[in-house]
Amino acid sequence: MRVTCRVTAEMYDRFLAAARAAYGRQGKSRWVREALAMLKEGDPVLSSVGLGEVNFQPEAHLQVSLDAVSAELLETLVARVRWQDPLAQGVASQILRAAIRWRLARSPGPIPPAKA
């Protein structure tokens, strides 16, 4: 299942750097799938979903592939948010952005090159 999520340019750049550092050029989808699982475990009530969405200005599109397990997880998380707020719009994208923010905040990121 391919999903598209709109993100800020800064989030896209940080995400791309982290995904490439972890898994190389083709690791974006794997990084996001793992981020979804991390969000579910670390934020079970999904309190981070929707944070900052009022001021959100989309600047880039992020497209990733989800395997069956991750697609089912995303659907479960969407249902959980919808239970809390039935009128929420763009829930899947909000969850993907929250997962990316969650993992970026808890990942060491790329290691800078050693100084000579």
Side-chain angles (χ1 to χ4, degrees):
M1 169 180 169
R2 294 198 64 85
V3 294
T4 300
C5 174
R6 293 169 52 152
V7 296
T8 64
E10 177 189 358
M11 182 185 288
Y12 183 80
D13 292 341
R14 291 183 60 214
F15 154 74
L16 206 55
R20 284 183 177 164
Y23 302 114
R25 296 189 61 106
Q26 303 299 319
K28 295 186 319 184
S29 295
R30 179 177 176 186
W31 194 94
V32 170
R33 289 190 302 263
E34 291 175 357
L36 277 171
M38 290 172 69
L39 178 68
K40 178 185 176 255
E41 293 300 317
D43 187 10
V45 296
L46 302 177
S47 61
S48 61
V49 174
L51 289 179
E53 292 290 325
V54 172
N55 299 322
F56 174 68
Q57 296 293 321
E59 301 165 318
H61 288 87
L62 171 67
Q63 189 174 47
V64 295
S65 295
L66 299 180
D67 58 13
V69 172
S70 297
E72 185 176 327
L73 174 58
L74 181 59
E75 289 177 20
T76 300
L77 297 177
V78 166
R80 190 176 299 168
V81 171
R82 287 247 184 248
W83 181 78
Q84 297 170 359
D85 184 2
L87 301 178
Q89 298 290 319
V91 176
S93 289
Q94 287 184 31
I95 291 170
L96 289 170
R97 283 191 292 273
I100 292 167
R101 283 192 307 268
W102 185 269
R103 185 163 184 185
L104 285 173
R106 287 152 183 82
S107 297
I111 300 171
K115 295 182 181 181

